[in-house]
Amino acid sequence: MQILILAVLITIGSFEKGKEIFVKKCSACHTIGEGKRVGPDLMGITEIRNIEWLKKFINKPSDFFGKDKIADSLLKEYAIKMPDQNLEEEEILSIIEYLNTASKGEMKVEEKKEVKISPEEIPFDKEKYERGEMLFKGEIIFKNKGLPCISCHSIKNLFTFGGGKLGPDLSLSFKNYGEEGLKLALKDIPFPTMVPVYKNKPLLEEEIDAITYFLSKLETKNKEKNPFTFAIILAFLIFLIPLFIFRNRSKGVRKNLLKGGK
C-alpha cells in the first residue's frame, strides 16, 4: 500500500522542482546520505516513514510536537523544532519525489558529494575574521540594508557584546551546519521567521563568506582566551596560599594582646 501511495504521489510531484525546494529550504539542516546535520539524514526516509505522515509533517511539523511519538523522538534527539514550511501540496509532493529518487542513488555522484572541512583546517585570517564580526554586530552595514545578525542572535562567551534573543545562540552553528550548510542557510534563508527580514535584502556572497568564516573561528578564539582565564585563576590561588599558611599568625598576636602581652 505504501508503495502504491508513493507511486501515485510521485507522478504528481516533480523531481527538479523538489530538488530546487530541497536545496533552498531543507539542505541547511538535512542531507541525503551525507550524515546528520542540524536534523536527520533523510536517505531512505520514504521507506521508513508513512507517506501520509511525511506529507503532513513536512508541511506543518508544529502540529506533531507533543502529540506524535516520532516527532517527539526527533525533538529529543536534535533538540530543535523543525519550522513550519507553509508549502503548497504540489511542492511537498515534489520534495517527496526528490527524496525518494535521491535515496535510490539515482542522482549523479557529483550532486551528492560534499566536502566537509573542520574549522582547524581553515587558516586564520585576522582581517576576514574581524570583517565577519563587524558584519555580525552591525558595525558594517550589509550592502542591501538587511538587519545585522546580532539583532536576533547571540554568541556565548563573546565578551564584547550580547545579542538578540529572537533567534538561537549561534556559538555552535558552524559545528552543526558545516561550512556548506551555513552558507546555504545564509544565502537561501530557509527559516520562516527570517524570510520576511531578508526577502528583498539578500546578503552578498562576500558577506556570507565573511560571516561564515567568523562563525567557524569562534571555538578557536575561545580556546585562545582560556590561557588568560587559567592565568587569572592561578594568580588568585597563589594569592590565597600565604593567607592560608599564616592564617593563625594574627590570631596568636591577638591572643597575646588580650592576655596583656604575657
Side-chain angles (χ1 to χ4, degrees):
M1 187 65 180
Q2 171 88 346
I3 296 173
L4 179 61
I5 294 173
L6 181 60
V8 172
L9 290 177
I10 63 178
T11 58
I12 302 171
S14 159
F15 174 85
E16 289 301 328
K17 188 171 183 178
K19 177 183 174 182
E20 180 185 340
I21 298 170
F22 182 87
V23 170
K24 185 175 290 186
K25 290 182 171 289
C26 314
S27 61
C29 300
H30 301 282
T31 72
I32 305 174
E34 297 293 335
K36 297 177 182 178
R37 195 167 277 173
V38 177
D41 185 335
L42 299 180
M43 172 67 88
I45 192 69
T46 55
E47 294 180 6
I48 62 174
R49 296 278 183 264
N50 178 283
I51 299 301
E52 283 300 322
W53 182 94
L54 205 54
K55 270 179 62 181
K56 293 175 182 175
F57 187 79
I58 290 173
N59 187 48
K60 200 173 181 185
S62 63
D63 284 346
F64 287 72
F65 297 118
K67 305 172 187 173
D68 181 273
K69 288 183 179 178
I70 297 173
D72 290 342
S73 173
L74 290 170
L75 180 58
K76 185 178 180 182
E77 181 175 357
Y78 294 94
I80 186 169
K81 289 183 179 178
M82 176 176 158
D84 292 345
Q85 299 300 317
N86 300 315
L87 296 168
E88 300 292 334
E89 183 172 5
E90 186 183 345
E91 294 176 314
I92 296 172
L93 296 178
S94 296
I95 292 175
I96 293 175
E97 181 188 354
Y98 176 67
L99 292 172
N100 183 58
T101 304
S103 295
K104 292 177 180 175
E106 295 176 15
M107 287 194 304
K108 294 178 182 177
V109 173
E110 57 267 29
E111 289 178 341
K112 294 178 65 176
K113 190 175 181 181
E114 179 185 348
V115 178
K116 295 183 178 178
I117 302 173
S118 69
E120 290 76 16
E121 294 177 281
I122 305 172
F124 186 73
D125 183 328
K126 185 172 182 290
E127 184 177 343
K128 194 172 179 179
Y129 176 88
E130 290 176 347
R131 179 167 176 74
E133 181 176 357
M134 286 192 281
L135 284 166
F136 188 98
K137 294 161 65 177
E139 292 176 357
I140 296 177
I141 305 299
F142 290 127
K143 188 77 174 178
N144 290 324
K145 312 297 183 188
L147 282 176
C149 314
I150 197 172
S151 303
C152 300
H153 299 280
S154 59
I155 293 177
K156 197 182 297 180
N157 296 331
L158 204 59
F159 304 136
T160 50
F161 61 92
K165 302 297 182 186
L166 182 62
D169 180 287
L170 297 182
S171 306
L172 299 176
S173 55
F174 189 88
K175 182 180 180 181
N176 291 334
Y177 285 78
E179 184 181 26
E180 186 70 19
L182 205 50
K183 285 184 175 179
L184 280 172
L186 291 170
K187 180 181 179 183
D188 296 319
I189 312 290
F191 309 107
T193 52
M194 293 177 66
V195 169
V197 177
Y198 295 99
K199 185 177 180 181
N200 299 314
K201 301 173 182 177
L203 304 186
L204 303 182
E205 290 288 344
E206 177 274 327
E207 293 167 339
I208 292 172
D209 190 49
I211 292 174
T212 301
Y213 183 82
F214 164 66
L215 293 173
S216 78
K217 289 299 178 187
L218 287 177
E219 193 172 345
T220 304
K221 295 298 287 184
N222 282 335
K223 285 179 181 175
E224 288 176 1
K225 290 174 183 176
N226 285 341
F228 294 104
T229 304
F230 177 75
I232 292 170
I233 294 172
L234 182 63
F236 182 69
L237 290 175
I238 292 173
F239 172 76
L240 289 178
I241 289 172
L243 293 179
F244 177 78
I245 293 174
F246 299 109
R247 66 187 187 284
N248 293 323
R249 185 174 179 180
S250 59
K251 290 181 181 177
V253 172
R254 188 180 174 193
K255 189 175 181 181
N256 288 333
L257 288 173
L258 291 173
K259 289 179 178 179
K262 294 179 181 179

